[in-house]
Amino acid sequence: MNTQVTDILANRNELAANLADIMPAENIYPSQGNYVLIRVKDAAACMKYIGEQGIILRNQSKQLMLENSIRITVGSATEMERTLAALKAYLESEA
């Protein structure tokens, strides 16, 4: 199990760093868990776009003070690359 935890932490840190390359850093919240929380302009539209790619994220907009926030659960490096590419395409499409 130690190897799995190490992999998740490494993938989380890499995901957060890669997200900082495609969106403002203030929209990426620090995490000590197995997820990264981000804020976008329109969480519902982002969830729809990403969902159409077959990727499941969690819309946190109904949580107190998390309007337009999305939780990305950390997976394998391949899953994170796919998620990052879809999120980048979404962000470029809304610009």
Side-chain angles (χ1 to χ4, degrees):
M1 176 154 7
N2 242 355
T3 303
Q4 184 179 17
V5 171
T6 301
D7 289 347
I8 289 171
L9 294 176
N11 290 345
R12 180 199 65 210
N13 295 338
E14 185 173 345
L15 174 62
N18 288 333
L19 285 168
D21 290 339
I22 65 169
M23 64 189 310
E26 64 267 14
N27 292 346
I28 306 164
Y29 296 92
S31 173
Q32 296 299 310
N34 67 334
Y35 63 89
V36 174
L37 187 70
I38 62 170
R39 187 173 304 251
V40 295
K41 289 181 185 176
D42 185 345
C46 183
M47 293 291 296
K48 183 178 185 306
Y49 183 91
I50 301 292
E52 289 170 352
Q53 314 285 325
I55 298 168
I56 300 170
L57 304 178
R58 294 192 64 174
N59 188 342
Q60 299 296 299
S61 293
K62 293 185 180 182
Q63 303 299 323
L64 184 62
M65 299 179 68
L66 293 180
E67 183 177 346
N68 289 316
S69 294
I70 295 174
R71 177 181 164 164
I72 305 170
T73 301
V74 176
S76 69
T78 302
E79 291 167 331
M80 295 299 85
E81 288 170 10
R82 187 169 168 238
T83 300
L84 189 66
L87 186 57
K88 182 178 180 181
Y90 169 74
L91 292 171
E92 288 171 353
S93 75
E94 76 169 355

